[in-house]
Amino acid sequence: MSLETIASIITQTLVYSTPLVLTALGGTFSERGGVVNVGLEGIMVMGAFSSIVFNLSFASTFGAWTPWLACLVGGLVGMLFSLLHAVATINLRADHIISGTVINLMAPALSIFLVKIIYSKGQTDQVTETFGYTSIPVLSKIPVIGPLLFANTTAPAFVAIFIAIISWFVLYKTRFGLRLRAVGENPQAADTLGINVYGMKYAGVLLSGFLGGMGGAVFAQSISGRFAVTTISGQGFISMAAMIFGKWNPIGAMGAAMFFGFAQNLSIAGDGLPIISSIPKVYMEIAPYFLTILVLVLFIGKSTGPKANGKTYIKSK
């Protein structure tokens, strides 16, 4: 296998992994605060939809910066959408799974309804400003490693890796992270220490909405290039599996998301690889979803999440 082929596999793996990394990090923040966010899929849908609409509307104004600004827009819309989940689960004491499922059902229908109103058809046009590929100065000149990792690569992937490192630092090395984890483990004890339990839970869910919305925005602008009802098809659930596989740790979730991204990439680029090319394409296409189920079956009992995760907290108790 040539160096160019290996470099291409690494680059495409990073492309497919980036949305999963961001969304898995979002799920980690939410569940570390004790709120199960099954609605990550719907949040990614809204992030993808809003980012594409922004991209199409302002590409002529912001030029090459458009995809990056659209990611922020997608994150803000995802945060706004996650607020519904926060209110339902924290204030109205709704079941976390039911609330997240409602978001997953509502997001595709709402986004396609808005697409039909705005564009008078079932999908948007193709965006002209995408993330594309870039080479990182200096680093791309390093022998062997440079061409593999830093030449003709995707910049959002390295931003996602940086966010994962920052997320780990925030969760384990700051007062905010300590309080968030305390709320997820024992909210009653945290409350007696003067921690605003509801406030921390809201912070975790809103962070998950922002990162999940960014994940959807990156996927739409680096892989699909437009928005349709099938743009986000299971990536939110794969991200949840990565979060569990990574044991609710930002670095672990990032590594698991990279693994799932590699599986998704093989379903696309496997035709040009030895051995993989001999496997029927339909099996490669279902591989990422099969691996998701397999990981959940094998690890969901062994990976122990926050003790109060998914449990409704009532202050009076």
Side-chain angles (χ1 to χ4, degrees), residues 265-278:
N265 177 41
L266 282 184
S267 66
I268 305 298
D271 291 340
L273 300 177
I275 301 177
I276 300 295
S277 59
S278 62

Side-chain angles (χ1 to χ4, degrees), residues 128-275:
T128 56
E129 293 291 343
T130 62
F131 283 111
Y133 300 94
T134 185
S135 294
I136 300 177
V138 182
L139 295 180
S140 61
K141 302 298 182 182
I142 300 175
V144 184
I145 296 177
L148 288 176
L149 297 177
F150 305 113
N152 197 32
T153 187
T154 171
F158 294 95
V159 174
I161 293 171
F162 176 74
I163 292 175
I165 296 171
I166 293 298
S167 298
W168 177 86
F169 181 83
V170 168
L171 272 179
Y172 293 101
K173 300 296 180 180
T174 67
R175 181 180 298 178
F176 170 83
L178 176 62
R179 291 182 174 183
L180 185 68
R181 288 185 289 119
V183 167
E185 293 291 336
N186 194 326
Q188 286 81 10
D191 198 3
T192 61
L193 294 174
I195 297 173
N196 186 342
V197 174
Y198 289 157
M200 296 307 298
K201 284 180 175 290
Y202 263 96
V205 176
L206 292 178
L207 278 172
S208 76
F210 184 76
L211 291 171
M214 283 185 64
V218 170
F219 187 94
Q221 296 179 101
S222 61
I223 299 173
S224 68
R226 60 180 175 83
F227 180 81
V229 70
T230 56
T231 296
I232 303 298
S233 55
Q235 281 74 25
F237 298 113
I238 294 175
S239 298
M240 287 195 66
M243 174 193 67
I244 295 170
F245 194 14
K247 297 183 178 181
W248 291 267
N249 182 300
I251 302 300
M254 178 186 69
M258 292 286 184
F259 168 73
F260 286 119
F262 175 70
Q264 283 191 308
N265 177 41
L266 282 184
S267 66
I268 305 298
D271 291 340
L273 300 177
I275 301 177

Side-chain angles (χ1 to χ4, degrees), residues 4-65:
E4 290 77 11
T5 302
I6 297 174
S8 177
I9 293 173
I10 292 174
T11 297
Q12 293 306 312
T13 295
L14 290 175
V15 170
Y16 282 94
S17 299
T18 302
L20 303 181
V21 170
L22 291 171
T23 309
L25 291 175
T28 300
F29 275 107
S30 180
E31 299 208 5
R32 277 295 181 181
V35 179
V36 176
N37 194 349
V38 178
L40 289 173
E41 178 88 359
I43 290 171
M44 286 187 76
V45 169
M46 296 308 297
F49 160 73
S50 57
S51 67
I52 291 296
V53 171
F54 179 89
N55 193 310
L56 290 171
S57 301
F58 295 99
S60 59
T61 303
F62 298 110
W65 284 99

Side-chain angles (χ1 to χ4, degrees), residues 83-95 99 202:
L83 185 61
L84 299 175
H85 184 57
V87 171
T89 56
I90 299 171
N91 296 101
L92 303 181
R93 301 170 188 171
D95 182 272
S99 175
Y202 263 96

Side-chain angles (χ1 to χ4, degrees), residues 286-298:
I286 67 173
Y289 307 102
F290 173 76
L291 288 173
T292 301
I293 297 173
L294 184 64
V295 164
L296 290 176
V297 170
L298 294 178

